[in-house]
Each structure stands twice: as structure tokens, then as C-alpha cells.
Amino acid sequence: MSFVSASIGSVELIGLKRGDLVPLKIIEVSGELGVDNALIIGIGGFKRVVIGYFSEDKGYEKIELRAVERSAIEVVSLIGSIIKRGDNEYNTHMHVALGMKTEDNKYSSYAGHLIEGEVYPLMEIFLIRLSNIDHSILRGVWPHRFR
């Protein structure tokens, strides 16, 4: 086990609108707000979402879900983090728990790594700023985030 310490800073409350793409919009807003590192928490809905399941042999196996007409895929929980690497590029890592109505008028739940979601009708995002992170240590703690 390895770790790096961080300090919790201010919280940015962000409202995403219909059609916004996650994580792209979170990266965009983080840059506008000057957020370098943050925890991400969110709730809301998607019209379409791609989630992944990690396989050591294949990388992420992806599935795409689409909401039935006039409904949303409920984002029960979105949690993750965003870091700004030394090359000034952002890296996000988010997971979601989802609930949705199916074509046969039943309900299903899904969870996995968030690849991309199209917001519908809205999404509430909380960016909890993290500061005082030594990225030279973080690189050893989370090496996959710096590739």
C-alpha cells in the first residue's frame, strides 16, 4: 500500500445541462475554474451512457445503455476524481451506479466505470478541491493515471 496526503478545499457546485457529455464537460469546467485536483460526486440523469468493466486481458469491455423514450437513466451515484497531470492534461476516473426502465417496462440496475454519458435532463456535480498533493508521490500511488 502507498498513499499521499491532500487537503480539502472549497467545493464547486456545477449544474450540467441536457446534452452535456461527461467526463468531457467536467474536464472543461475544471479548466475554467482552475481546479487541478478534485473529488467528484454527482447525481442526475443520462439519455445515453457507456460504462466499462475492466478485464486484464482486454482492457475495458464496454456496454452502451440508452434510455427508453421520454425517460432518463437515473444516476444514483457518480463518484470519482480528476487530476491535472504534469503535462497539463486532465485525467478523470469515475464510476457510476445507474437505474433505468427497460423496453419491456421493467427496471434494471447497472454499475461500472464511466466512459461517457450524455446528460438528460440535468446533473448536479460537486467538485471538492484537493490541494497540497505532491504529484511526484501521487505518480507512485496511482501510476495508471499518469500513462
Side-chain angles (χ1 to χ4, degrees):
M1 180 190 81
S2 54
F3 69 93
V4 62
S5 295
S7 299
I8 294 177
S10 62
V11 179
E12 306 294 342
L13 307 177
I14 301 163
L16 300 184
K17 296 179 175 27
R18 182 181 300 203
D20 286 340
L21 297 178
V22 178
L24 186 63
K25 193 66 170 180
I26 292 173
I27 292 169
E28 188 179 298
V29 170
S30 294
E32 291 170 8
L33 296 174
V35 173
D36 289 342
N37 307 287
L39 297 174
I40 303 166
I41 300 172
I43 56 174
F46 290 132
K47 182 53 108 181
R48 177 190 63 79
V49 63
V50 179
I51 57 176
Y53 300 93
F54 183 74
S55 164
E56 202 166 312
D57 297 332
K58 301 177 185 176
Y60 281 101
E61 296 182 38
K62 300 173 188 175
I63 64 167
E64 183 173 353
L65 305 170
R66 292 184 178 273
V68 296
E69 191 174 334
R70 302 179 54 78
S71 69
I73 300 167
E74 290 290 333
V75 178
V76 178
S77 176
L78 179 152
I79 190 159
S81 62
I82 184 167
I83 60 172
K84 189 174 186 181
R85 302 183 310 208
D87 59 3
N88 285 326
E89 292 294 320
Y90 282 101
N91 180 276
T92 62
H93 188 180
M94 291 181 268
H95 287 223
V96 290
L98 308 166
M100 65 182 289
K101 186 176 186 178
T102 60
E103 292 286 340
D104 57 359
N105 214 24
K106 295 184 180 172
Y107 296 89
S108 279
S109 297
Y110 293 87
H113 179 88
L114 177 63
I115 307 294
E116 181 181 79
E118 179 184 344
V119 173
Y120 177 85
L122 57 88
M123 184 165 284
E124 299 172 10
I125 296 290
F126 303 83
L127 279 183
I128 304 166
R129 290 180 187 251
L130 300 173
S131 59
N132 301 322
I133 296 176
D134 184 334
H135 277 236
S136 65
I137 297 172
L138 184 61
R139 182 173 272 109
V141 176
W142 291 345
H144 59 284
R145 302 288 293 275
F146 291 87
R147 291 185 189 136

